[in-house]
Amino acid sequence: MRTVLMVAEKPSLAQSIAKILSRGNMSSRKGLNGACSVHEYTGSFVGQSAHFKMTSVCGHVMTLDFIGKYNSWDKVDPAELFSKAPTEKKEANPKLTMVKFLQVEGRGCDCIVLWLDCDKEGENICFEVLDAVLPVMNKPRGTERTIYRAKFSSITDTDICNAMNHLGEPNRNEALSVDARQELDLRIGCAFTRFQTKYFQGKYGNLDSSLISFGPCQTPTLGFCVERHDKIQSFKPETYWVLQAKVNPEKESSLTLDWDRVRVFDREVAQMFLNITKMAKEAKVESVSKKEKVKQRPLALNTVEMLRVASAALGMGPQHAMQIAERLYTQGYISYPRTETTHYPENFDLKGCLRQQANNPYWAETVKALLSEGINRPRKGHDAGDHPPITPMRAATEAELGGDGWRLYEYITRHFIATVSADCKYLQTTISFSIGPERFTCVGKVVTSPGFTEIMPWHSIPLEESLPHCEKGDLFPIGEIKLLEKQTSPPDYLTEAELITLMEKHGIGTDASIPVHINNICQRNYVTVESGRRLKPTNLGIVLVHGYYKIDAELVLPTIRSAVEKQLNLIALGKANYHQVLEHTLDIFKRKFHYFVDSIAGMDELMEVSFSPLAATGKPLSRCGKCHRFMKYIQAKPSRLHCSHCDDTYSLPQNGTIKLYKELRCPLDDFELVLWSSGSRGKSYPLCPYCYNHPPFRDMKKGMGCNECTHPTCQHSLSMLGIGQCVECESGVLVLDSTSGPKWKMACNKCNVIVHFFENAHKVRVSAETCDLCEAALVDVDFNKAKSPLPGDETQHSGCVFCDPVFQDLVELKHAAMRHPMHRGGQGKRQGRGRGKGRRPGGRLNPKKPKDKMAALAAYFV
């Protein structure tokens, strides 16, 4: 007699399957690990009598991990985890001694039948079981087949017996796709998590999370929540006006009409419409239309839709809902709860499932009516080729299941009955009115056939007051016309249901892993679950996502993970090579990791603002252009401005002082300008915090102040204050420092050259005219009457700083903060071009070469 070992995924499943196959005639005993039981019976297998041993595992037998020394955070550079660090399979739960248990039970067996769950994870566990059992099983005789795979979708007699009669083989490709996902998540997640946790831990005491974790799926999931938070923070409400009219078809009743223009954003325009319509005394019926409309019954239920409804309507978190669904499945109440399919196969016994529900007091009448009148074929949905949609497999009562188990089962059953019910049909009446020149509409709905809404009353058409019977040309007296003032409102925080929808849409995670990722971001304290199961990001979650966006947006955007999921699916289908996908993906993330490490200061700026005591000591300095609140100036290196309301941080030039610049604002973004200075002997220039970080023009780079801004008309820009080409560097322009009076100076916007001039002048302005000799801008100088160097008590003069003999003795070249010896000569050979082409409106397109300008300059400076 042959001995057949059969292995299920959970002890409760093993018991249920053994009970069905042995028809209740079996003996049971505890296994050596105490967690799993062994159920034995005799029967026939492949035409021969056999002794069956049915047992189970408890989920994954093995787990992937790094070998010993690479598990040390301190001794190993996280970058090594991408390729150098070898991995090994370890027992998932050493206390269960699962491998030893399987080998004890498998020793001497001739065949193995794998009853693991029929999904990719199940296929992977199949091979973990085989790796443990095959070495101790009897060797096959010749080409004799010894490995079998059972495919089933529910724990019912029909399905289990059918699976036993049609045994297949385990799918190696699907198992490999799970191996690839495990290795990618381990290597990428550990490398990023270790680095950022070590970097930020201890540096900040109030992070509220012991682990600053990163996950290829977890992080994009958090990204969706923070993206919505940012939209809420940046939302600016707008006031709008709506015209509301009421007509009185009868003395006692009134009918509220909707304005066809819907709303206007201009108060005066709205008032004009109100005045026009108020002149009319009656509303005239322009048209009456009646249409029969249909509200379609739902598609069959898949995992994602079940999780969405559980969160939105039943108030259950996705992880909790999935655990309940799995329990209902193992107890045989519903079919397999992990499926992407929303289409029933042609041979599915819909009537059989429906008959099971004929005696439940909640829906017995509806079910009996459907069975007698004939069911409707469910709508054609998506067939993912995995499992049938989630379906109730046997009747249950509230007393049997209790609490959340019953609530989820009730929804699944109502949904199933709705899929085979008729569509809801209703008659929609639309009456169009004119009041003066303005059009108004009134819509009424009357249900003609409730269809599926009887079993799903929350989908029913709301009861409305019936519209009066009228015809085109009828006149009704106007009750009132008024103007309603309203405001646009920001979106709300994402609900779990909305997040699940976004994850499915962008391919983040699978139907099985989506609840895990959402649970992870809650446990890591990246989001908190508010009322209505809305996910509100914490400070830590917001800063992390903003930091990823600042360094490498692809770390948080769903695009890369979505592409990886597609590659993993190709492995499962046998269309992609496991090793190539692994190598290619790890190479991409390794490069991203190195860039992330090099740029971590960008995230540190945000962290320091949110979590360091420095954030508390920062002083309000200038106003944010977005929210017009004060931003805090944090002096600690790297110094920066932070707007706590918008949660934005703006880098500033380093190694100098920052102060408010006369409360002047940038004309582009309304941010208050700040003045950076390297000291009284150095140079200074104003800058807009926003433009400094987000260059407004194509020819500008990040980190440019107003002295390099090419805005054509701003009074602080290079275009208005630039004077001439720097006398030392090729690319720089000497720009007037308009804050330096009375010790006026101009400084190069690239190098550290400073030119002092016109001490004690009242005003120095850059003229729109240029020098005929060197193309530099002329300057208008207004001197102090008592100290004017001009002849004949004159106080005003216009001329070229470089060429005008009157200014010759008033110009002195220095280097900022005297860092280097002054260059006093050697400029004669260099051909300067002054402000040159395109430096400012009005400049010549083809500037002439200066007439020995540099030789003259050298003489002046000496």
Side-chain angles (χ1 to χ4, degrees), residues 461-490:
I461 304 295
L463 290 169
E464 296 174 354
E465 286 184 41
S466 57
L467 296 184
H469 178 73
C470 56
E471 292 176 2
K472 185 178 178 181
D474 286 357
L475 298 172
F476 291 121
I478 296 169
E480 65 169 342
I481 297 180
K482 60 182 177 183
L483 206 56
L484 301 178
E485 183 179 309
K486 297 185 178 183
Q487 274 199 327
T488 54
S489 55

Side-chain angles (χ1 to χ4, degrees), residues 42 61 118 138 203 214 285 408 416 426 447 464 512 548 582 635 642 663 704 726 735 744 769-770 794 847 851:
T42 52
V61 179
C118 299
N138 293 336
K203 204 167 183 181
F214 173 92
V285 176
L408 188 61
F416 167 69
Y426 60 95
V447 175
E464 296 174 354
Y548 294 133
L582 207 58
Q635 287 178 290
H642 177 72
E663 295 188 347
M704 287 185 171
C726 177
V735 182
W744 297 93
E769 297 171 4
T770 53
E794 287 185 29
K851 296 179 181 176

Side-chain angles (χ1 to χ4, degrees), residues 369-382:
L370 279 171
L371 288 169
S372 62
E373 293 165 17
I375 64 169
N376 282 288
R377 187 81 204 147
R379 284 169 58 198
K380 189 171 175 61
H382 167 66

Side-chain angles (χ1 to χ4, degrees), residues 683-695:
K683 62 180 187 178
S684 58
Y685 56 86
L687 62 105
C688 162
Y690 191 84
C691 296
Y692 188 82
N693 290 270
H694 307 90

Side-chain angles (χ1 to χ4, degrees), residues 609-657:
V609 167
S610 296
F611 297 105
S612 168
L614 290 170
T617 57
K619 294 177 181 175
L621 179 71
S622 65
R623 288 185 185 272
C624 168
K626 294 179 181 177
C627 65
H628 301 292
R629 288 174 168 84
F630 276 101
M631 297 190 289
K632 281 188 172 181
Y633 170 49
I634 296 166
Q635 287 178 290
K637 287 187 179 181
S639 61
R640 54 227 184 250
L641 282 168
H642 177 72
C643 176
S644 55
H645 184 261
C646 302
D647 200 29
D648 285 330
T649 301
Y650 301 97
S651 301
L652 294 171
Q654 304 300 306
N655 305 318
T657 59

